[in-house]
Amino acid sequence: MAPTRYSLTLEFDGTPFFGLQRQKDGPSVQQAVEEAILGVTGQEVTLHSAGRTDTGVHALAMRSHFDDESKLTPFRMGEAINAHLRPAPIAVTKCEAVPEDWHARFSCIGRRYLYRIINRRAPLTLEKDRAWLVSHECDAEAMHRAAQALVGHHDFTTFRSVHCQAASPVKTLDRLDVERVGDEIRVHVAARSFLHHQVRSMVGCLALVGMGRWNESRIAQVLEAKDRQELGLNAPSHGLYFVEAIYPEAP
């Protein structure tokens, strides 16, 4: 019989990890989950995920998959993986059996991120390593207005890491909304796919607008420059959350 393809929805605190993908020089979410699965089934597997995350980036609902021949029900598989993951800050919130041609990365047609800024002078305690503290008063409405220049089909070279491996800097940004909720500024971002550091680079520049260091029109200008040297600021990784992977039909 063919192996079962399991889809996992993962929630994790990225603080202790060097990102989602396996790394040669430090712990990763992928390594922790693969080792947990090995503990459950006695089989080595490869975990495939909808997105990549940098050191310190969190996830509310990362989608991943692996193939396994143990024939455990999805419920029992998810429960067992969680037992073996403890005490790592990773949880399987959902485990499902999916068709063998479903792929966490290649079947994905959209990805959503959230970036959290805490805008206050007092240091963070409960939100430490889970949001970016910006002590200078920020104008979230100005940030939102400026952000609309980035929505659509553009060359995002300015907002692309020099280490980005994407074949092209051209992407289509479907959503970039900024809202204030009390002391928190939330940046909601959606696209089919992103360049390396694209979200953090956009947020960093929007923060400069919010603080009044850049005028709103500067965002459109640095986009048109297509020059990484024009980037004003790259927001830290610990404010970024992978929120959702979107598929044509949710399995």
Side-chain angles (χ1 to χ4, degrees):
M1 294 181 65
T4 300
R5 177 157 292 187
Y6 293 94
S7 163
L8 303 179
T9 301
L10 300 175
E11 175 185 285
F12 58 81
D13 174 356
T15 305
F17 301 108
F18 283 36
L20 189 152
Q21 285 195 306
R22 271 189 176 267
Q23 305 290 331
K24 295 179 180 179
D25 54 355
S28 68
V29 174
Q30 180 181 352
Q31 177 185 349
V33 176
E34 288 176 350
E35 289 178 354
I37 295 168
L38 177 63
V40 173
T41 67
Q43 300 177 32
E44 292 187 353
V45 302
T46 299
L47 190 74
H48 303 272
S49 297
R52 303 179 180 184
T53 63
D54 291 329
T55 299
V57 175
H58 315 295
L60 301 178
M62 175 63 72
R63 293 295 295 275
S64 305
H65 84 262
F66 67 95
D67 296 330
D68 179 72
E69 299 177 352
S70 65
K71 302 306 176 187
L72 289 176
T73 66
F75 175 79
R76 289 188 177 277
M77 179 65 80
E79 291 288 291
I81 293 172
N82 277 335
H84 281 264
L85 279 169
R86 298 186 185 102
I90 307 171
V92 176
T93 60
K94 193 172 186 179
C95 179
E96 305 166 272
V98 293
E100 63 179 14
D101 62 349
W102 185 89
H103 196 286
R105 178 184 175 191
F106 297 120
S107 299
C108 184
I109 60 170
R111 295 161 175 86
R112 291 200 304 118
Y113 283 88
L114 166 68
Y115 196 96
R116 300 179 61 222
I117 297 171
I118 305 298
N119 190 204
R120 72 183 196 190
R121 292 192 60 81
L124 298 184
T125 55
L126 299 179
E127 299 288 3
K128 187 177 184 296
D129 295 326
R130 290 175 176 81
W132 179 21
L133 175 64
V134 176
S135 57
H136 193 290
E137 181 69 21
C138 285
D139 183 343
E141 293 182 359
M143 293 170 66
H144 176 76
R145 290 192 298 267
Q148 303 320 297
L150 300 175
V151 176
H153 190 68
H154 302 290
D155 181 329
F156 284 96
T157 295
T158 301
F159 302 94
R160 177 189 192 184
S161 166
V162 294
H163 302 295
C164 182
Q165 298 178 355
S168 169
V170 177
K171 294 290 180 182
T172 300
L173 190 64
D174 298 319
R175 179 190 182 192
L176 185 55
D177 292 334
V178 183
E179 64 171 346
R180 176 181 284 277
V181 181
D183 285 341
E184 183 173 339
I185 295 173
R186 299 172 183 171
V187 184
H188 304 274
V189 194
R192 185 181 185 95
S193 61
F194 294 89
L195 301 168
H196 189 210
H197 285 186
Q198 182 181 348
V199 176
R200 290 168 54 196
S201 297
M202 294 189 300
V203 170
C205 291
L206 291 174
L208 293 176
V209 172
M211 290 184 280
R213 297 178 185 174
W214 279 14
N215 58 42
E216 295 176 28
S217 63
R218 183 75 179 275
I219 295 294
Q221 292 168 2
V222 298
L223 172 68
E224 288 301 317
K226 303 179 182 64
D227 182 358
R228 183 67 175 176
Q229 297 299 316
E230 293 293 317
L231 183 75
L233 182 63
N234 202 35
S237 61
H238 54 258
L240 184 60
Y241 293 74
F242 184 97
V243 173
E244 182 185 15
I246 301 167
Y247 297 90
E249 295 180 3

